[in-house]
Amino acid sequence: MENAYGKVWLIGAGPGDLELLTLKAVRVLASADVLIVDALVDPEIASFAPRARVVTTGKRAGCRSAPQDFIQRLMRRYARQGKTVARVKGGDPLMFGRAGEEIAYLFDNGIEVEVVNGVTSALAAAASLTVSLTHRDFGASGVTFVTAHRQDHSAPDWATLAAAGTTLAIYMGLGRACEVADGLLAALPASTPAAVVACASTRAERRLVTTLGQLADDCRAAKMPAPALILVGAALESAVGDSLPAARAVA
């Protein structure tokens, strides 16, 4: 008997600005029967899915959110009803979005799944700062995407990451800015350029340009809100200036 199940699309909504949606994302949203949307996604995204039932599954730092297992069972339930399900995540679903868990779960349950990429917040943050994450003049030949928030609450090996010489794009690190800075200072000078971009690409965006040595103190003083992306590395030199002055907040 032919499988009558529907299909799940894992869609990246980007960092917040709906104009950063891809044409493919807009097309898929228009065909969706069900929209399962994370909290960090602009609710106006529902306007691109006029016939879809909207289900909100919030995931915000420090707030109670829908358990991952519940979200996966929700996708399975609607797909088994033959519906087209759009699972919409902030940023890119393949970048710290638990897409691996969801893809495996759906495959194990015989449900077709396809991914539509979105702009991840590190790229939006760099665009906001008008800096390149790679830069030949500063020896930045790569970018390392890393989360400061592991499932077992352990910290990454910051010293090893710092020694790699890449630009570091640190997700979910704002609440651990002191720990992050201390770990990186084991291998990097305090004068290393650093920046924090909160709510990148949205009307609420805030930018803090600083140095690694001042990172934790400046984040506290500026009361930077979450979600925020921390960038560290020589490629940010143009954002902080040649003389590496004391931190300056840019509204």
Side-chain angles (χ1 to χ4, degrees):
M1 182 177 178
E2 186 178 348
N3 189 337
Y5 290 170
K7 179 175 181 177
V8 174
W9 292 84
L10 302 182
I11 300 176
D17 182 356
L18 290 181
E19 289 189 340
L20 294 177
L21 281 172
T22 64
L23 292 174
K24 186 172 184 177
V26 171
R27 175 178 62 79
V28 173
L29 288 168
S31 68
D33 300 306
V34 180
L35 215 58
I36 301 177
V37 187
D38 276 355
L40 295 178
V41 176
D42 187 333
E44 288 299 314
I45 200 170
S47 66
F48 295 103
R51 65 188 186 90
R53 175 180 180 179
V54 180
V55 181
T56 301
T57 55
K59 283 183 178 291
R60 285 187 179 273
C63 300
R64 186 175 181 180
S65 59
Q68 183 64 25
D69 182 62
F70 170 78
I71 295 171
Q72 292 172 177
R73 286 187 282 110
L74 199 62
M75 289 189 290
R76 180 183 64 182
R77 185 178 79 188
Y78 286 121
R80 282 183 170 176
Q81 293 173 4
K83 300 184 183 300
T84 298
V85 180
R87 166 79 167 114
V88 185
K89 301 167 177 285
D92 185 283
L94 305 182
M95 189 69 72
F96 307 119
R98 297 188 178 180
E101 299 170 40
E102 295 178 3
I103 291 169
Y105 179 88
L106 293 167
F107 280 171
D108 288 346
N109 282 274
I111 296 167
E112 184 182 1
V113 58
E114 190 168 339
V115 177
V116 179
N117 295 113
V119 176
T120 189
S121 58
L123 303 183
S128 175
L129 294 165
T130 323
V131 295
S132 175
L133 295 179
T134 59
H135 202 306
R136 293 186 300 175
D137 292 347
F138 299 110
S141 59
V143 185
T144 300
F145 301 94
V146 60
T147 174
H149 183 72
R150 287 181 168 180
Q151 188 173 18
D152 63 1
H153 305 293
S154 64
D157 186 341
W158 293 115
T160 298
L161 290 169
T166 62
T167 302
L168 297 177
I170 304 167
Y171 291 67
M172 295 169 278
L174 186 62
R176 301 184 178 189
C178 185
E179 175 187 319
V180 170
D182 286 347
L184 294 176
L185 285 167
L188 293 173
S191 59
T192 301
V196 182
V197 181
C199 307
S201 84
T202 73
R203 289 186 295 272
E205 179 183 289
R206 290 182 60 194
R207 289 171 280 159
L208 175 69
V209 182
T210 183
T211 62
L212 184 56
Q214 289 291 118
L215 176 65
D217 288 342
D218 289 340
C219 281
R220 281 194 295 268
K223 297 181 180 178
M224 296 296 285
L229 194 288
I230 299 173
L231 295 171
V232 177
L236 298 171
E237 177 84 11
S238 61
V240 297
D242 294 336
S243 61
L244 296 178
R248 51 187 171 88
V250 184

